[in-house]
Amino acid sequence: MVQKKISLVLGSGGARGYAHIGVIEELEKHGYEITSVSGSSMGALVGGLYACGKLQQYKEWVLGLDLLDVAGLLDFSLGKTGLIQGNKVFEAIGKIVGSVMIEDLPIAFTAVATDVIKKKEVWIQEGSLLDAIRASIAIPTVFTPKQIGGRHLVDGGILNPLPIAPTLSDNTDMTIAVKLNAQIDKVYRIDIPAQEQEKESGMQELFSDLIEKAEALIAREPGGTFDEMSMFDIVGRTIDTMQDALSDCKSAGYSPDMVIGIPKDACGFYEFNKAWEMIEMGRLIAREHLEEKEKHGQG
């Protein structure tokens, strides 16, 4: 196969963003050279780590986390701007990324964030890579906003869940977008090793316990109740609903050469305990798309 240079667009979608890792690995396996990456939220995190050559290290770190590691990374806060400061998580990610500037990366990279004061989409294409990632994944009410250049920046998926526009001027052979909220009827079954199932289950219990404690910190209206859904469920579902509407609207004028869709119901927005499963799902779905393309003589 003749190697093709591609622009890769990585969408937002919470924990489903782990699928980006599997997609990237499968693209490389099929001989594609990624020379440009644009990402929102988890797409910016995975894309930024790939751009600086540290994605494999990050993957090994994520898959190697145990229950105590995860509990130690969450720093709940009573601050007015977010439940989790994120300092511990980003200290860990910072050790992997290092002090890297976006303009020094070997491939073009754009992290998309939202200026919550001016209500504008922001493309971060220079400056600290870690700061850009931090800004792009600052989920409102959960992570505190990131201040860069006097701007208060939050999750890029708020205004652009699938940021294709930053790649339009790229001199590449094709653009591939990975959409994390795709409406797909097909059911993908991933064979999860027993060890991963046990870890996944244990982390789910830990997250449930931590969520209960976090919600206990929040003042509620008299008589108020979350009933069957937790606050995190409500926020996650709200963001998913909003991004469903925005994805089609934002990408209407831009047609990538290929859209790799990850089912919106593959996992919940905050089910970060399903890293192994989502990585493998991303790999499987990407393989299907690429083999179909090659089958029709387009590869």
Side-chain angles (χ1 to χ4, degrees), residues 115-186:
D115 185 326
V116 75
I117 303 299
K118 296 184 177 180
K119 303 174 185 177
K120 292 183 177 180
E121 179 180 331
V122 176
W123 295 0
I124 308 175
Q125 299 174 316
E126 60 182 16
S128 165
L129 174 61
L130 187 63
D131 285 351
I133 293 172
R134 173 68 176 84
S136 188
I137 72 168
I139 304 168
T141 74
V142 179
F143 284 109
T144 54
K146 177 65 179 178
Q147 292 190 45
I148 298 179
R151 297 178 297 192
H152 291 73
L153 303 179
V154 297
D155 197 311
I158 298 301
L159 288 181
N160 198 344
L162 194 64
I164 300 170
T167 68
L168 293 181
S169 62
D170 291 345
N171 183 24
T172 53
D173 297 309
M174 63 184 298
T175 298
I176 296 178
V178 185
K179 182 178 181 180
L180 298 181
N181 60 338
Q183 186 67 48
I184 298 175
D185 293 330
K186 180 176 180 179

Side-chain angles (χ1 to χ4, degrees), residues 212-275:
E212 287 181 9
K213 291 179 180 178
E215 289 177 345
L217 296 175
I218 303 172
R220 304 180 183 181
E221 294 295 327
T225 175
F226 286 110
D227 293 324
E228 296 180 359
M229 286 199 298
S230 73
M231 180 204 68
F232 281 85
D233 286 331
I234 294 170
V235 172
R237 289 171 185 263
T238 299
I239 293 175
D240 273 342
T241 301
M242 176 185 63
Q243 292 183 348
D244 281 352
L246 279 173
S247 288
D248 293 337
C249 178
K250 275 287 185 179
S251 59
Y254 314 121
S255 298
D257 300 283
M258 179 188 295
V259 176
I260 297 174
I262 307 300
K264 60 187 295 184
D265 58 356
C267 78
F269 194 88
Y270 292 110
E271 291 188 292
F272 289 97
N273 55 309
K274 295 188 175 182

Side-chain angles (χ1 to χ4, degrees), residues 183-189 263 265 281 284-285 288:
Q183 186 67 48
I184 298 175
D185 293 330
K186 180 176 180 179
V187 177
Y188 290 92
R189 302 197 181 280
D265 58 356
M281 182 172 291
L284 173 61
I285 296 176
E288 282 188 354

